Amino acid sequence: MPQRMFRSYQGLILLGLCVFFVSKAVNGQLTWYINSRFVPLTIVGIVFLALMAQTIFAENRRSRLHELEHPEHHHDHEHAPSSSALWIMFIPLAIGLLIPARPLDSAAFTTKGFNTSAPLVSSDSSAQIFETESQERNILQWLKLFNYQDDITEFIGQEASVVGFVYFGDELEADQFFVSRFVVSCCAADGFAIAMPVQWEKSKSLEQDAWVVVKGKIESIDLNDTRTPMIVAESVEPADVPAQPYLFP
Amino acid sequence: METTASKRLPRNTILLILIVILVAVASSLMPAGSSTWLWDRLNVFATVFLGIFVEAVPYLLLGTFASGLVEVFIDRDGMSRWVSKRPAAAAISGAFMGMIFPVCECGVVPLTRRLFKKGLPLSAGISFLLAAPVLNPIVILSTASAFGWGQMLLWRFLISLIIAVVVGLVFSVQDDPGEVLLPILSGMEHDHVHAEAGDTVLEKLRKALLITVDEFFDMGRYLIIGSLLAAGLQTFIAQSTLLSIGSGPVLSVLIMLLLAVLLSICSTVDSFVALGFTGAFSFGSVLSFLVFGPMVDIKSTIMYLQVFKRRAVAYIILIPFMISLIAGLVFNYFVK
């Protein structure tokens, strides 16, 4: 492939990646792939991709002008690196465009598994979770409270309101389901699922992976020999996929 | 050249068309919304793959841009003045170069390759390659925020430093870089872009960006192949089966080492992931995960193969593996 043609393809792929990232940033789906802490870094990446595409197109323009002015210097026969670099770089775009975007959900449980307990990050302070209003606590915070507090009596009966997707686990009764979220520290590759059991008489009417808001009172049950918070639901309402579908540890 | 290039193009094109057809057939067979098994797997695969890719691209761009800057702003004489000729000093200074170039394992490979081109000694380059993804300010902060300023942080950095220096010293025995590096490097294949003495800073930046593009395409494809493999393994191999094998002081370390390779997560955040294992795994096993993961994983191995000869890559993988394993075992048996 002639050098200039290779450069044009490079420029197009860079531009394509740039537009792909911008569109994901605009429609808010960037956080379906990475932790929101890293979004600024992606923005830096977008700027770089745009600059690089611009530089490549400018370089081609220069080389064409140079050839017009000095027809005797014919440089374009030079061979560029192998074309495999081009089509492999196209794969992410193909996957991004052909497979409809969907955040991690219970489909990933078969290989990634899910937990009803959560690790404590050293920068966490349980005081912080205590200060959070009970109705503001998310699934991760409830699990941490139950995992790391010796005395949980004060939490029993507190009002809870959590958002997550529905998962029917084998370990539950017929009128129970799990409300679940993925915890992602970097990107979807390191995501792990956490789940909290919910008792609700109309559990059967729910669909797997449907996003819901669960409101009710906290109770403590033993699940797989560990103390786990369970919500006795007063209401379970359908919800939109949150702007950040994942929780951050 | 001519014939191999023209032979290769159709084969690649056919492969690409096949992949597109396969994906198109797969997506037409399964209407969106219906949760068939294959469709679910495909979705998880796409999300995990794009996760790794979107996360890694900015780091790779920064690494290749650093490489472009090195090419246009640093000359070979400057390099030989800065870096010590004595192997031990070179290996140690290489290991600490990460404090100045904060790159993770995706960005470090193109940068190291460029530094080799500029005449960096083998021992310094290899210890930089292995140490930089851990011994840099960003990773120190992220490890501290996951585990606190304590034992885990201290041992992670000490053992990574030891491994990097040891491997660097092993390679310092080799006088001829041509035995270790691929010919494109030892032969100093000519670049299409050359910095000239009279260039203005702006002109140099333009050239640095052109080099960035070439290296981004060159290294990016291996990043993509590595991410495809990692995402595929994550989609089809259950972590729980791996973890359930892994109890006992020896097996648990081996499982954590395997998991480090499989997960292929960026060193800047792997401590948060490792934290998830502290409940089920001993200190020593998690430590070996944190030491070995940044040095060797699927995508970095594929990238190493573009810089080093196979035998050299074997050393770069096996020595860190042995030392991480021994460190994990020592902690499992003697410390806790």
Side-chain angles (χ1 to χ4, degrees):
Chain A
M1 191 185 299
Q3 176 78 17
R4 224 157 42 210
M5 192 196 235
F6 183 81
R7 288 231 179 275
S8 306
Y9 283 133
Q10 279 187 323
L12 285 177
I13 290 173
L14 290 170
L15 207 59
L17 284 173
C18 185
V19 171
F20 178 68
F21 283 4
V22 168
S23 73
K24 289 288 173 195
V26 170
N27 69 12
Q29 286 179 1
L30 222 43
T31 50
W32 293 14
Y33 302 110
I34 57 172
N35 184 318
S36 62
R37 271 188 306 169
F38 295 95
V39 170
L41 211 61
T42 311
I43 308 290
V44 172
I46 290 172
V47 173
F48 258 97
L49 287 170
L51 268 176
M52 283 154 68
Q54 203 278 332
T55 313
I56 284 291
F57 289 131
E59 178 69 16
N60 264 359
R61 221 169 20 247
R62 263 162 75 123
S63 118
R64 211 172 304 123
L65 283 178
H66 178 82
E67 213 168 277
L68 284 177
E69 284 166 20
H70 311 273
E72 70 281 6
H73 297 174
H74 187 66
H75 283 301
D76 206 28
H77 59 267
E78 275 183 67
H79 278 276
S82 96
S83 60
S84 75
L86 289 176
W87 71 262
I88 295 178
M89 292 301 278
F90 187 70
I91 292 177
L93 281 174
I95 289 179
L97 296 175
L98 288 175
I99 303 176
R102 181 171 129 191
L104 289 178
D105 55 22
S106 72
F109 284 13
T110 44
T111 51
K112 285 181 168 290
F114 77 102
N115 289 294
T116 48
S117 58
L120 199 64
V121 177
S122 98
S123 51
D124 271 351
S125 69
S126 47
Q128 214 178 330
I129 308 180
F130 272 122
E131 281 162 19
T132 315
E133 286 286 318
S134 76
Q135 297 184 23
E136 301 285 312
R137 283 180 205 137
N138 59 36
I139 300 174
L140 186 62
Q141 290 171 323
W142 279 115
L143 291 180
K144 282 181 180 170
L145 276 184
F146 270 63
N147 289 160
Y148 301 102
Q149 291 301 316
D150 294 327
D151 181 17
I152 51 157
T153 41
E154 69 167 294
F155 306 121
I156 308 292
Q158 279 191 342
E159 291 287 334
S161 164
V162 300
V163 180
F165 58 85
V166 174
Y167 174 66
F168 293 103
D170 298 334
E171 47 280 81
L172 294 181
E173 313 281 328
D175 62 343
Q176 295 175 336
F177 67 93
F178 280 114
V179 56
S180 178
R181 286 292 274 273
F182 268 89
V183 179
V184 164
S185 35
C186 166
C187 66
D190 66 58
F192 63 92
I194 51 164
M196 205 170 154
V198 177
Q199 176 134 31
W200 195 46
E201 52 191 13
K202 283 179 275 181
S203 290
K204 281 250 170 64
S205 66
L206 296 167
E207 275 193 54
Q208 183 109 309
D209 289 323
W211 283 84
V212 289
V213 188
V214 178
K215 291 192 172 135
K217 290 204 160 57
I218 290 291
E219 205 174 277
S220 172
I221 61 162
D222 272 336
L223 198 69
N224 306 327
D225 300 328
T226 31
R227 189 176 65 185
T228 313
M230 179 173 78
I231 304 179
V232 179
E234 281 145 19
S235 75
V236 177
E237 309 265 335
D240 290 329
V241 181
Q244 289 180 1
Y246 310 131
L247 298 173
F248 306 122
Chain B
M1 274 308 278
E2 182 85 53
T3 51
T4 54
S6 55
K7 253 189 211 157
R8 216 146 146 195
L9 180 66
R11 205 180 59 201
N12 290 337
T13 321
I14 291 167
L15 246 164
L16 177 63
I17 293 170
L18 273 179
I19 291 172
V20 171
I21 291 175
L22 209 78
V23 176
V25 168
S27 42
S28 68
L29 279 179
M30 279 151 291
S34 83
S35 299
T36 60
W37 183 83
L38 190 62
W39 185 242
D40 277 348
R41 299 269 70 78
L42 200 62
N43 264 306
V44 173
F45 174 80
T47 308
V48 171
F49 167 74
L50 286 175
I52 302 178
F53 182 72
V54 173
E55 176 68 38
V57 160
Y59 287 109
L60 182 65
L61 282 171
L62 292 176
T64 50
F65 185 58
S67 156
L69 291 180
V70 165
E71 174 61 34
V72 297
F73 285 107
I74 296 178
D75 54 24
R76 289 181 69 92
D77 302 337
M79 180 68 77
S80 57
R81 267 202 309 276
W82 290 350
V83 182
S84 168
K85 287 277 181 297
R86 280 175 306 165
I92 292 170
S93 59
F96 280 104
M97 256 158 53
M99 299 302 272
I100 316 166
F101 298 105
V103 282
C104 58
E105 73 265 31
C106 298
V108 76
V109 182
L111 183 55
T112 311
R113 186 166 75 155
R114 182 66 57 181
L115 290 170
F116 279 140
K117 272 195 175 179
K118 290 287 177 184
L120 185 73
L122 265 182
S123 55
I126 285 173
S127 60
F128 171 63
L129 184 76
L130 292 176
V134 175
L135 282 166
N136 80 54
I138 299 169
V139 178
I140 294 178
L141 283 179
S142 77
T143 310
S145 81
F147 288 96
W149 298 92
Q151 297 273 319
M152 189 62 91
L153 182 76
L154 177 73
W155 289 111
R156 178 181 198 190
F157 291 100
L158 269 182
I159 296 169
S160 302
L161 180 66
I162 292 169
I163 294 177
V165 173
V166 167
V167 183
L169 284 177
V170 167
F171 277 91
S172 69
V173 179
Q174 183 59 258
D175 289 328
D176 176 17
E179 289 290 312
V180 174
L181 300 174
L182 287 177
I184 26 167
L185 273 175
S186 49
M188 302 301 158
E189 173 210 45
H190 81 280
D191 275 301
H192 289 288
V193 185
H194 301 280
E196 278 150 36
D199 285 348
T200 60
V201 172
L202 211 65
E203 177 66 13
K204 281 188 168 172
L205 280 178
R206 192 187 69 83
K207 286 182 173 169
L209 270 177
L210 280 176
I211 293 169
T212 309
V213 173
D214 282 336
E215 291 224 323
F216 180 66
F217 275 78
D218 199 23
M219 282 290 148
R221 57 183 154 160
Y222 303 111
L223 172 75
I224 289 171
I225 294 172
S227 317
L228 285 171
L229 274 173
L233 287 170
Q234 281 207 26
T235 314
F236 294 104
I237 294 182
Q239 268 179 48
S240 54
T241 31
L242 262 187
L243 298 182
S244 63
I245 312 170
S247 52
V250 183
L251 258 185
S252 69
V253 178
L254 285 172
I255 291 292
M256 282 315 255
L257 290 175
L258 186 64
L259 204 64
V261 175
L262 263 179
L263 282 177
S264 291
I265 37 178
C266 180
S267 62
T268 52
V269 290
D270 58 358
S271 5
F272 294 99
V273 181
L275 198 63
F277 299 122
T278 46
F281 284 84
S282 62
F283 181 89
S285 322
V286 176
L287 179 65
S288 61
F289 173 89
L290 282 175
V291 169
F292 190 58
M295 297 187 178
V296 179
D297 63 32
I298 297 175
K299 59 186 159 50
S300 61
T301 304
I302 296 179
M303 284 159 98
Y304 290 161
L305 284 168
Q306 313 314 314
V307 181
F308 301 101
K309 292 194 166 163
R310 281 199 194 135
R311 248 185 64 175
V313 175
Y315 281 112
I316 293 176
I317 293 172
L318 284 177
I319 301 173
F321 177 81
M322 291 311 295
I323 302 181
S324 316
L325 179 65
I326 292 167
L329 292 181
V330 167
F331 274 92
N332 277 354
Y333 277 110
F334 300 108
V335 185
K336 299 218 166 180

mmCIF file of all heavy atoms in Angstrom, chain B residues 78-103:
data_model
loop_
_atom_site.group_PDB
_atom_site.id
_atom_site.type_symbol
_atom_site.label_atom_id
_atom_site.label_comp_id
_atom_site.label_asym_id
_atom_site.label_seq_id
_atom_site.Cartn_x
_atom_site.Cartn_y
_atom_site.Cartn_z
ATOM 1 N N GLY B 78 23.210 12.346 24.436
ATOM 2 C CA GLY B 78 22.624 12.745 25.704
ATOM 3 C C GLY B 78 22.332 11.512 26.549
ATOM 4 O O GLY B 78 22.634 11.466 27.743
ATOM 5 N N MET B 79 21.772 10.492 25.906
ATOM 6 C CA MET B 79 21.408 9.280 26.623
ATOM 7 C C MET B 79 22.630 8.633 27.265
ATOM 8 O O MET B 79 22.612 8.253 28.422
ATOM 9 C CB MET B 79 20.745 8.313 25.633
ATOM 10 C CG MET B 79 20.308 7.019 26.233
ATOM 11 S SD MET B 79 18.953 7.248 27.364
ATOM 12 C CE MET B 79 17.620 7.470 26.201
ATOM 13 N N SER B 80 23.726 8.540 26.489
ATOM 14 C CA SER B 80 24.880 7.836 27.041
ATOM 15 C C SER B 80 25.531 8.643 28.163
ATOM 16 O O SER B 80 26.193 8.094 29.037
ATOM 17 C CB SER B 80 25.897 7.533 25.938
ATOM 18 O OG SER B 80 26.275 8.729 25.309
ATOM 19 N N ARG B 81 25.342 9.977 28.150
ATOM 20 C CA ARG B 81 25.868 10.777 29.253
ATOM 21 C C ARG B 81 25.090 10.523 30.539
ATOM 22 O O ARG B 81 25.640 10.520 31.614
ATOM 23 C CB ARG B 81 25.804 12.273 28.909
ATOM 24 C CG ARG B 81 27.079 12.815 28.278
ATOM 25 C CD ARG B 81 27.186 14.320 28.456
ATOM 26 N NE ARG B 81 25.986 15.030 28.029
ATOM 27 C CZ ARG B 81 25.738 15.389 26.774
ATOM 28 N NH1 ARG B 81 26.607 15.096 25.837
ATOM 29 N NH2 ARG B 81 24.650 16.050 26.441
ATOM 30 N N TRP B 82 23.762 10.359 30.387
ATOM 31 C CA TRP B 82 22.912 10.267 31.577
ATOM 32 C C TRP B 82 22.985 8.911 32.263
ATOM 33 O O TRP B 82 22.906 8.815 33.462
ATOM 34 C CB TRP B 82 21.441 10.513 31.204
ATOM 35 C CG TRP B 82 21.167 11.912 30.824
ATOM 36 C CD1 TRP B 82 22.000 12.982 30.946
ATOM 37 C CD2 TRP B 82 19.971 12.410 30.237
ATOM 38 N NE1 TRP B 82 21.404 14.116 30.470
ATOM 39 C CE2 TRP B 82 20.152 13.787 30.031
ATOM 40 C CE3 TRP B 82 18.758 11.818 29.879
ATOM 41 C CZ2 TRP B 82 19.164 14.587 29.466
ATOM 42 C CZ3 TRP B 82 17.774 12.610 29.326
ATOM 43 C CH2 TRP B 82 17.984 13.983 29.115
ATOM 44 N N VAL B 83 23.054 7.858 31.459
ATOM 45 C CA VAL B 83 22.874 6.541 32.051
ATOM 46 C C VAL B 83 24.222 5.883 32.291
ATOM 47 O O VAL B 83 25.083 5.858 31.422
ATOM 48 C CB VAL B 83 22.000 5.654 31.145
ATOM 49 C CG1 VAL B 83 21.782 4.307 31.792
ATOM 50 C CG2 VAL B 83 20.672 6.337 30.890
ATOM 51 N N SER B 84 24.368 5.342 33.481
ATOM 52 C CA SER B 84 25.630 4.718 33.876
ATOM 53 C C SER B 84 25.921 3.485 33.030
ATOM 54 O O SER B 84 25.022 2.785 32.595
ATOM 55 C CB SER B 84 25.542 4.330 35.348
ATOM 56 O OG SER B 84 26.614 3.484 35.674
ATOM 57 N N LYS B 85 27.191 3.234 32.794
ATOM 58 C CA LYS B 85 27.594 2.045 32.036
ATOM 59 C C LYS B 85 27.645 0.815 32.933
ATOM 60 O O LYS B 85 27.547 -0.308 32.467
ATOM 61 C CB LYS B 85 28.982 2.261 31.402
ATOM 62 C CG LYS B 85 28.979 3.223 30.221
ATOM 63 C CD LYS B 85 28.566 2.507 28.926
ATOM 64 C CE LYS B 85 28.582 3.455 27.747
ATOM 65 N NZ LYS B 85 27.608 4.564 27.887
ATOM 66 N N ARG B 86 27.848 1.031 34.261
ATOM 67 C CA ARG B 86 27.947 -0.135 35.140
ATOM 68 C C ARG B 86 26.585 -0.798 35.276
ATOM 69 O O ARG B 86 25.587 -0.125 35.542
ATOM 70 C CB ARG B 86 28.463 0.291 36.518
ATOM 71 C CG ARG B 86 29.988 0.483 36.521
ATOM 72 C CD ARG B 86 30.426 1.022 37.841
ATOM 73 N NE ARG B 86 29.666 2.239 38.164
ATOM 74 C CZ ARG B 86 29.606 2.789 39.359
ATOM 75 N NH1 ARG B 86 30.212 2.210 40.368
ATOM 76 N NH2 ARG B 86 28.936 3.894 39.569
ATOM 77 N N PRO B 87 26.528 -2.118 35.094
ATOM 78 C CA PRO B 87 25.241 -2.806 35.008
ATOM 79 C C PRO B 87 24.354 -2.610 36.238
ATOM 80 O O PRO B 87 23.165 -2.332 36.105
ATOM 81 C CB PRO B 87 25.624 -4.271 34.840
ATOM 82 C CG PRO B 87 27.092 -4.355 34.826
ATOM 83 C CD PRO B 87 27.682 -3.003 34.849
ATOM 84 N N ALA B 88 24.932 -2.736 37.432
ATOM 85 C CA ALA B 88 24.102 -2.650 38.629
ATOM 86 C C ALA B 88 23.492 -1.255 38.739
ATOM 87 O O ALA B 88 22.291 -1.090 38.970
ATOM 88 C CB ALA B 88 24.936 -2.966 39.862
ATOM 89 N N ALA B 89 24.335 -0.240 38.520
ATOM 90 C CA ALA B 89 23.842 1.137 38.620
ATOM 91 C C ALA B 89 22.788 1.390 37.547
ATOM 92 O O ALA B 89 21.755 2.029 37.805
ATOM 93 C CB ALA B 89 24.999 2.115 38.471
ATOM 94 N N ALA B 90 23.029 0.854 36.332
ATOM 95 C CA ALA B 90 22.072 1.059 35.251
ATOM 96 C C ALA B 90 20.739 0.395 35.586
ATOM 97 O O ALA B 90 19.675 0.983 35.389
ATOM 98 C CB ALA B 90 22.629 0.488 33.946
ATOM 99 N N ALA B 91 20.799 -0.824 36.129
ATOM 100 C CA ALA B 91 19.557 -1.534 36.447
ATOM 101 C C ALA B 91 18.774 -0.796 37.526
ATOM 102 O O ALA B 91 17.557 -0.645 37.437
ATOM 103 C CB ALA B 91 19.870 -2.959 36.894
ATOM 104 N N ILE B 92 19.479 -0.315 38.537
ATOM 105 C CA ILE B 92 18.783 0.381 39.622
ATOM 106 C C ILE B 92 18.211 1.711 39.131
ATOM 107 O O ILE B 92 17.055 2.047 39.395
ATOM 108 C CB ILE B 92 19.714 0.586 40.832
ATOM 109 C CG1 ILE B 92 20.019 -0.776 41.464
ATOM 110 C CG2 ILE B 92 19.075 1.503 41.859
ATOM 111 C CD1 ILE B 92 21.101 -0.760 42.514
ATOM 112 N N SER B 93 19.010 2.449 38.354
ATOM 113 C CA SER B 93 18.483 3.737 37.885
ATOM 114 C C SER B 93 17.315 3.502 36.913
ATOM 115 O O SER B 93 16.343 4.247 36.910
ATOM 116 C CB SER B 93 19.580 4.571 37.237
ATOM 117 O OG SER B 93 20.140 3.882 36.146
ATOM 118 N N GLY B 94 17.398 2.415 36.119
ATOM 119 C CA GLY B 94 16.283 2.079 35.225
ATOM 120 C C GLY B 94 15.009 1.822 36.007
ATOM 121 O O GLY B 94 13.929 2.275 35.639
ATOM 122 N N ALA B 95 15.147 1.111 37.124
ATOM 123 C CA ALA B 95 13.974 0.771 37.915
ATOM 124 C C ALA B 95 13.298 2.018 38.473
ATOM 125 O O ALA B 95 12.079 2.061 38.637
ATOM 126 C CB ALA B 95 14.366 -0.165 39.053
ATOM 127 N N PHE B 96 14.100 3.051 38.764
ATOM 128 C CA PHE B 96 13.504 4.253 39.346
ATOM 129 C C PHE B 96 13.071 5.287 38.305
ATOM 130 O O PHE B 96 12.512 6.314 38.657
ATOM 131 C CB PHE B 96 14.465 4.884 40.360
ATOM 132 C CG PHE B 96 14.422 4.190 41.684
ATOM 133 C CD1 PHE B 96 15.421 3.322 42.075
ATOM 134 C CD2 PHE B 96 13.341 4.380 42.532
ATOM 135 C CE1 PHE B 96 15.367 2.662 43.290
ATOM 136 C CE2 PHE B 96 13.266 3.732 43.748
ATOM 137 C CZ PHE B 96 14.284 2.865 44.123
ATOM 138 N N MET B 97 13.362 5.003 37.015
ATOM 139 C CA MET B 97 12.972 5.967 35.982
ATOM 140 C C MET B 97 11.457 6.150 35.912
ATOM 141 O O MET B 97 10.960 7.155 35.423
ATOM 142 C CB MET B 97 13.493 5.516 34.618
ATOM 143 C CG MET B 97 14.715 6.300 34.162
ATOM 144 S SD MET B 97 15.674 5.389 32.953
ATOM 145 C CE MET B 97 14.473 4.978 31.738
ATOM 146 N N GLY B 98 10.716 5.142 36.420
ATOM 147 C CA GLY B 98 9.263 5.239 36.439
ATOM 148 C C GLY B 98 8.761 6.413 37.264
ATOM 149 O O GLY B 98 7.651 6.903 37.063
ATOM 150 N N MET B 99 9.572 6.863 38.235
ATOM 151 C CA MET B 99 9.158 7.997 39.042
ATOM 152 C C MET B 99 9.094 9.268 38.180
ATOM 153 O O MET B 99 8.359 10.192 38.479
ATOM 154 C CB MET B 99 10.114 8.220 40.214
ATOM 155 C CG MET B 99 10.188 7.051 41.176
ATOM 156 S SD MET B 99 8.609 6.585 41.897
ATOM 157 C CE MET B 99 8.526 7.621 43.330
ATOM 158 N N ILE B 100 9.891 9.306 37.094
ATOM 159 C CA ILE B 100 9.878 10.473 36.207
ATOM 160 C C ILE B 100 8.880 10.274 35.063
ATOM 161 O O ILE B 100 8.200 11.198 34.655
ATOM 162 C CB ILE B 100 11.275 10.731 35.593
ATOM 163 C CG1 ILE B 100 12.348 10.585 36.669
ATOM 164 C CG2 ILE B 100 11.339 12.110 34.950
ATOM 165 C CD1 ILE B 100 13.739 10.484 36.093
ATOM 166 N N PHE B 101 8.829 9.036 34.536
ATOM 167 C CA PHE B 101 7.854 8.748 33.473
ATOM 168 C C PHE B 101 6.732 7.898 34.073
ATOM 169 O O PHE B 101 6.839 6.677 34.096
ATOM 170 C CB PHE B 101 8.494 7.916 32.347
ATOM 171 C CG PHE B 101 9.627 8.576 31.625
ATOM 172 C CD1 PHE B 101 10.934 8.196 31.859
ATOM 173 C CD2 PHE B 101 9.372 9.560 30.675
ATOM 174 C CE1 PHE B 101 11.992 8.788 31.170
ATOM 175 C CE2 PHE B 101 10.427 10.149 29.991
ATOM 176 C CZ PHE B 101 11.728 9.769 30.232
ATOM 177 N N PRO B 102 5.648 8.508 34.566
ATOM 178 C CA PRO B 102 4.620 7.694 35.182
ATOM 179 C C PRO B 102 3.751 6.978 34.133
ATOM 180 O O PRO B 102 2.713 7.476 33.738
ATOM 181 C CB PRO B 102 3.793 8.696 35.996
ATOM 182 C CG PRO B 102 4.166 10.035 35.494
ATOM 183 C CD PRO B 102 5.314 9.920 34.548
ATOM 184 N N VAL B 103 4.201 5.828 33.681
ATOM 185 C CA VAL B 103 3.440 5.062 32.686
ATOM 186 C C VAL B 103 3.009 3.738 33.296
ATOM 187 O O VAL B 103 3.628 3.249 34.225
ATOM 188 C CB VAL B 103 4.288 4.768 31.435
ATOM 189 C CG1 VAL B 103 4.382 5.969 30.542
ATOM 190 C CG2 VAL B 103 5.665 4.268 31.814
#
